[in-house]
């Protein structure tokens, strides 16, 4: 009896082994103090030897087989120890010694029929030997006494689902619900089984019962949410989130999910409402301020959105920067002077800042300034590939394609499958009207990697134009324009050039006109307007 009690105190973690030495020492002193020296000496000797072999088996063995042998020696010295025997059983299972594991497991189960670890391990042994009904039998027996044991219930449900024993699973779960109708764990696993059966209405009811009875427990809530997302039951998603928020009004994650849910479904009024509700209690939360600005922007309330972005504290670097970017793009459409002012008042501190600034100057056709910013960034982040690509973009804007090639060709060996790099180099070669066969190889590869990218398709079309294959060029330009998400005057210009070569002057003029109406870059504008005027004559 004392021996068994001692082994119940054995550490299950290597980090707590030292404390057991103190236990042994203290126990020895107590026993000797009882003037039962012969018993104490014998007991202490057995315990020490058993513990020695346990330590050797647990820490010093070079193989599982050696650990098993040492554990057997430990059990010889302390045969009453349930802990050691469970440890041995787990090693048998790990090593695949299933006959030995089953024999030991059944012996332990007979003596300890309600020990959870014994049942769990024996269940796994039975499963490994494909004795499904034996597994189910011992797990079900245990659950009738412990119906809320989630680990055992999870294992049992997994067995049912794996073997597709739907009827038996539902029967067992119904039995457990008769024992305790408010057992939310059983309701949860019942929902899982019904979900596998595609009985979505029953599963929905079971999930809702599990949520209500568990007071909207986090784990069950997330699983239920995933189920309702899968079946696209949006009203129920909204309902359960609102219900959980009524119980946990300060849960930022729930607010984040809910306004994201509304944004995705374009229910912008509801998104604004939920964000303002949260911000009423958390006025300076930068993330929620940003998303409120985004919602207002999507609602067409541009002035309000700009005010919200402006209110994000500068010390909140991430969200302040995100708000600044959105403000820039809003002004870019309507007030380029204010867009430029934003850039001039912003001091870059991180790589992302340099990338944004350089690209933003490019979009304002201030490519010399964009080039300067990218080069500043490269002093801090030398050889950074993203900054090199942005720098190349500004050089291309200035039509300095020779420098683009010098900058980007060294990246090709390491990024041979990057469609954007392939396109950049290929297009530069086409503009320089040299190495067109190599350019075709690069652009064809980029096209296969990104077959619906309109810019890659345009590059390929421009290559065929330079090679004199105007029909192929027309094919790719038509595809490029069909995939455009916004007007691109250079692509319109290219189509006009191809149609002109095909002697379709009327349509060529139409596309030159569209290009002239949309172009804003100085170098491009001068060239396109010249073509349009010539076409008009």
């Amino acid at each position: 009896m004392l021996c068994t009690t001692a082994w119940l105190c054995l550490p299950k973690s290597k980090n707590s082994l030292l404390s057991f030495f103190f236990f042994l020492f203290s126990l020895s002193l107590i026993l000797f103090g009882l003037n039962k020296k012969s018993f104490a000496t014998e007991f202490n000797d057995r315990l020490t030897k058993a513990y020695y072999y346990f330590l050797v088996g647990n820490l010093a063995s070079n193989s599982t087989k050696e650990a098993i042998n040492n554990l057997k020696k430990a059990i010889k010295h302390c045969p009453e120890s349930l802990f050691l025997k469970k440890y041995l059983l787990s090693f048998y299972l790990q090593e695949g010694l299933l006959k030995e594991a089953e024999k030991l497991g059944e012996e332990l189960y007979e003596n300890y029929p309600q020990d959870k670890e014994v049942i769990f391990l024996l269940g796994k042994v039975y499963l490994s030997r494909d004795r499904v009904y034996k597994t189910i039998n011992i797990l079900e027996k245990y659950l009738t006494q412990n119906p809320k044991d989630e680990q055992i219930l999870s294992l049992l449900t997994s067995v049912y689902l794996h073997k597709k024993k739907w009827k038996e699973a539902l029967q067992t779960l119904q039995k457990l619900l008769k024992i305790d109708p408010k057992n939310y764990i059983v309701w949860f696993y019942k929902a899982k089984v019904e979900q596998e059966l595609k009985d979505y209405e029953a599963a929905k009811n079971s999930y809702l019962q599990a949520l209500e009875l568990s007071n909207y427990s986090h784990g069950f809530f997330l699983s239920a949410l995933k189920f309702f997302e899968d079946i696209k039951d949006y009203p129920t998603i909204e309902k359960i989130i609102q219900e959980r928020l009524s119980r946990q009004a300060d849960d930022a994650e729930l607010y984040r999910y809910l306004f994201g849910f509304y944004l995705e479904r374009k229910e912008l009024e509801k998104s604004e409402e939920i964000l303002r509700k949260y911000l009423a209690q958390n006025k300076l939360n930068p993330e929620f301020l940003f998303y409120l600005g985004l919602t207002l922007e999507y609602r067409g309330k541009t002035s309000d959105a700009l005010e919200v972005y402006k209110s994000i504290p500068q010390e909140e670097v991430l969200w302040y920067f995100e708000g600044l970017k959105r403000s820039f793009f809003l002004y870019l459409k309507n007030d380029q002077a204010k867009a430029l002012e934003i850039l001039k008042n912003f001091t870059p501190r991180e790589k992302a800042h340099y990338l944004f600034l350089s690209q933003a100057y490019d979009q304002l056709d201030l490519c010399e300034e964009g080039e300067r910013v990218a080069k500043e960034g490269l002093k801090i982040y030398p050889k950074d590939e993203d900054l090199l690509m942005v720098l190349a973009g500004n050089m291309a804007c200035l039509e300095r394609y020779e420098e683009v090639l010098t900058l980007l060709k060294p990246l090709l060996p390491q990024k041979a499958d990057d469609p954007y790099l392939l396109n950049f180099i290929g297009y530069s070669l086409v503009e320089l009207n040299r190495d067109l066969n190599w350019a075709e190889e690069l652009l064809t590869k980029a096209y296969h990697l990104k077959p619906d990218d309109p810019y890659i398709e345009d590059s390929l079309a421009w290559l065929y134009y330079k090679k004199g294959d105007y029909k192929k060029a027309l094919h790719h330009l038509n595809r490029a324009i069909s995939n455009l998400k916004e007007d691109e005057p250079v692509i319109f210009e290219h189509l006009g050039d191809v149609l002109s070569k095909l002697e379709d002057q009327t349509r060529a003029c139409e596309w030159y006109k569209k290009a002239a109406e949309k172009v804003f870059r100085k170098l491009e504008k001068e060239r396109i307007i010249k073509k349009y005027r010539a076409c008009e004559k």
Side-chain angles (χ1 to χ4, degrees):
M1 191 69 182
L2 281 170
C3 185
T4 305
T5 305
W7 280 108
L8 286 173
C9 296
L10 261 175
K12 297 185 182 182
S13 161
K14 294 175 184 178
N15 294 330
S16 59
L17 291 173
L18 184 60
S19 63
F20 194 73
F21 283 113
F22 291 105
F23 168 77
L24 286 175
F25 179 69
S26 305
L27 186 59
S28 302
L29 289 177
I30 293 166
L31 290 168
F32 279 115
L34 292 172
N35 293 319
K36 298 179 180 177
K37 291 183 180 178
S38 60
F39 169 74
T41 303
E42 179 189 350
F43 171 78
N44 200 43
D45 183 56
R46 288 172 59 211
L47 197 58
T48 302
K49 285 179 179 177
Y51 190 58
Y52 164 75
Y53 286 117
F54 168 75
L55 280 178
V56 171
N58 194 32
L59 297 175
S61 298
N62 294 317
S63 67
T64 309
K65 188 176 180 181
E66 187 181 341
I68 287 170
N69 289 333
N70 283 313
L71 278 170
K72 285 179 178 178
K73 289 176 185 177
I75 290 168
K76 271 189 181 179
H77 291 284
C78 195
E80 302 92 338
S81 171
L82 173 59
F83 175 86
L84 279 177
K85 289 176 181 175
K86 286 194 283 191
Y87 221 94
L88 179 59
L89 177 55
S90 67
F91 270 113
Y92 278 151
L93 194 55
Q94 181 182 328
E95 192 65 11
L97 299 170
L98 300 180
K99 285 185 180 179
E100 294 87 338
E102 185 172 341
K103 182 180 177 184
L104 177 58
E106 287 180 341
E107 175 193 312
L108 293 176
Y109 181 61
E110 187 177 344
N111 293 314
Y112 306 97
Q114 283 300 306
D115 187 289
K116 175 179 171 175
E117 287 181 343
V118 169
I119 291 163
F120 192 79
L121 288 168
L122 182 56
K124 290 208 162 192
V125 172
Y126 283 148
L127 278 180
S128 299
R129 305 204 74 187
D130 205 27
R131 296 185 175 177
V132 177
Y133 285 106
K134 281 198 167 188
T135 308
I136 291 171
N137 183 46
I138 63 169
L139 297 179
E140 284 185 347
K141 276 186 180 177
Y142 176 82
L143 284 168
T144 56
Q145 301 297 317
N146 306 276
K148 286 189 176 179
D149 191 311
E150 190 170 353
Q151 188 181 21
I152 298 295
L153 188 54
S154 174
L155 178 60
L156 178 60
T157 308
S158 298
V159 174
Y160 283 134
L161 295 181
H162 181 66
K163 295 296 179 181
K164 301 189 186 308
K165 295 185 178 297
W166 318 117
K167 185 178 177 182
E168 293 93 326
L170 287 173
Q171 284 174 346
T172 298
L173 293 165
Q174 291 289 12
K175 283 180 194 173
L176 294 173
L177 284 173
K178 282 183 180 177
I179 297 169
D180 180 6
K182 294 184 178 181
N183 189 334
Y184 53 84
I185 296 169
V186 176
W187 278 111
F188 175 73
Y189 283 105
K190 183 170 177 284
K192 289 280 186 188
V193 174
E194 289 161 343
Q195 187 177 344
E196 289 291 332
L197 281 167
K198 294 184 170 51
D199 188 349
Y200 296 136
E201 196 57 38
K204 173 180 174 177
N205 177 62
S206 296
Y207 272 122
L208 291 174
Q209 288 281 4
L211 287 173
E212 188 62 38
L213 293 168
S214 68
N215 197 28
Y216 279 71
S217 168
H218 186 67
F220 296 148
F221 176 76
L222 291 179
S223 291
L225 199 58
K226 174 75 168 60
F227 165 71
F228 291 122
E229 283 176 349
D230 289 344
I231 65 169
K232 295 180 171 55
D233 186 347
Y234 300 120
T236 302
I237 289 173
E238 184 176 8
K239 178 184 172 184
I240 65 173
I241 295 174
Q242 293 281 16
E243 183 60 38
R244 193 158 191 259
L245 272 175
S246 71
R247 299 166 194 242
Q248 293 175 283
D250 59 344
D251 192 329
E253 190 62 40
L254 275 176
Y255 278 99
R256 189 178 288 111
Y257 181 93
L258 187 56
F259 74 70
F261 170 76
Y262 288 140
L263 274 179
E264 189 178 337
R265 300 186 68 225
K266 294 184 171 54
E267 295 185 45
L268 301 176
E269 287 185 29
K270 288 184 177 180
S271 177
E272 182 180 345
E273 182 186 343
I274 201 75
L275 285 162
R276 290 194 184 281
K277 183 178 178 182
Y278 183 82
L279 285 164
Q281 303 298 321
N282 305 272
K283 294 184 186 299
L284 292 178
N285 183 296
E287 179 189 358
F288 283 71
L289 281 170
F290 172 76
Y291 284 116
L292 175 59
L294 197 64
T295 299
L296 292 167
E297 188 181 328
Y298 290 161
R299 291 195 70 187
K301 298 180 177 182
T302 304
S303 299
D304 292 345
L306 287 166
E307 284 301 312
V308 171
Y309 291 141
K310 192 176 177 181
S311 72
I312 300 172
Q314 288 195 34
E315 56 270 22
E316 299 289 348
V317 177
L318 171 63
W319 295 107
Y320 174 76
F321 177 54
E322 292 299 320
L324 180 136
K325 285 196 293 183
R326 295 307 309 167
S327 298
F328 169 79
F329 289 119
L330 285 173
Y331 282 129
L332 184 63
K333 295 174 185 176
N334 306 309
D335 192 339
Q336 293 194 358
K338 284 191 177 178
L340 179 58
E341 187 182 336
I342 284 176
L343 302 186
K344 288 189 175 297
N345 291 331
F346 180 62
T347 304
R349 294 186 179 86
E350 300 173 5
K351 172 187 155 181
H353 300 167
Y354 286 101
L355 287 171
F356 161 69
L357 273 179
S358 184
Q359 288 173 315
Y361 279 122
D362 183 342
Q363 289 180 301
L364 286 169
D365 197 28
L366 297 171
C367 301
E368 294 93 342
E369 193 64 16
E371 180 182 359
R372 180 191 65 76
V373 171
K375 285 180 176 177
E376 271 185 22
L378 283 163
K379 288 176 187 175
I380 304 168
Y381 307 97
K383 298 183 180 179
D384 182 86
E385 292 174 358
D386 295 327
L387 282 167
L388 287 170
M389 291 286 280
V390 169
L391 175 57
N394 281 282
M395 288 175 172
C397 158
L398 297 166
E399 298 185 357
R400 287 164 29 206
Y401 292 104
E402 197 69 63
E403 291 176 62
V404 171
L405 289 176
T406 302
L407 193 68
L408 296 185
K409 278 167 68 176
L411 300 180
L412 201 52
Q414 290 79 35
K415 295 171 72 70
D417 293 322
D418 184 328
Y420 304 110
L421 179 64
L422 294 169
N423 181 53
F424 224 140
I425 295 172
Y427 186 78
S428 299
L429 290 168
V430 174
E431 282 290 337
L432 292 167
N433 203 22
R434 76 159 193 254
D435 296 325
L436 294 184
N437 288 337
W438 184 38
E440 184 172 9
E441 182 185 324
L442 295 173
L443 292 172
T444 302
K445 185 175 182 182
Y447 173 70
H448 287 308
L449 290 166
K450 283 276 184 182
D452 295 319
D453 187 296
Y455 300 96
I456 293 173
E457 197 114 41
D458 171 65
S459 297
L460 202 52
W462 198 230
L463 166 84
Y464 289 126
Y465 174 85
K466 290 292 179 84
K467 283 189 149 192
D469 193 338
Y470 304 123
K471 286 186 178 178
K472 267 192 180 179
L474 181 62
H475 167 75
H476 286 291
L477 279 166
N478 284 331
R479 275 180 50 87
I481 288 172
S482 69
N483 286 320
L484 278 176
K485 293 181 179 176
E486 56 186 30
D487 293 326
E488 286 293 344
V490 172
I491 297 181
F492 297 165
E493 177 197 9
H494 287 168
L495 182 53
D497 290 344
V498 170
L499 290 168
S500 183
K501 288 290 184 183
L502 290 169
E503 298 182 358
D504 189 345
Q505 293 301 327
T506 303
R507 289 183 62 213
C509 283
E510 288 172 3
W511 284 104
Y512 285 142
K513 183 181 179 183
K514 285 183 182 179
E517 288 169 351
K518 299 297 179 182
V519 70
F520 72 97
R521 294 188 188 278
K522 293 174 190 173
L523 291 175
E524 294 169 359
K525 182 176 275 192
E526 186 178 336
R527 184 182 68 238
I528 291 171
I529 289 176
K530 186 177 179 182
K531 288 180 182 179
Y532 175 54
R533 285 175 179 167
C535 187
E536 277 187 318
K537 290 179 184 178

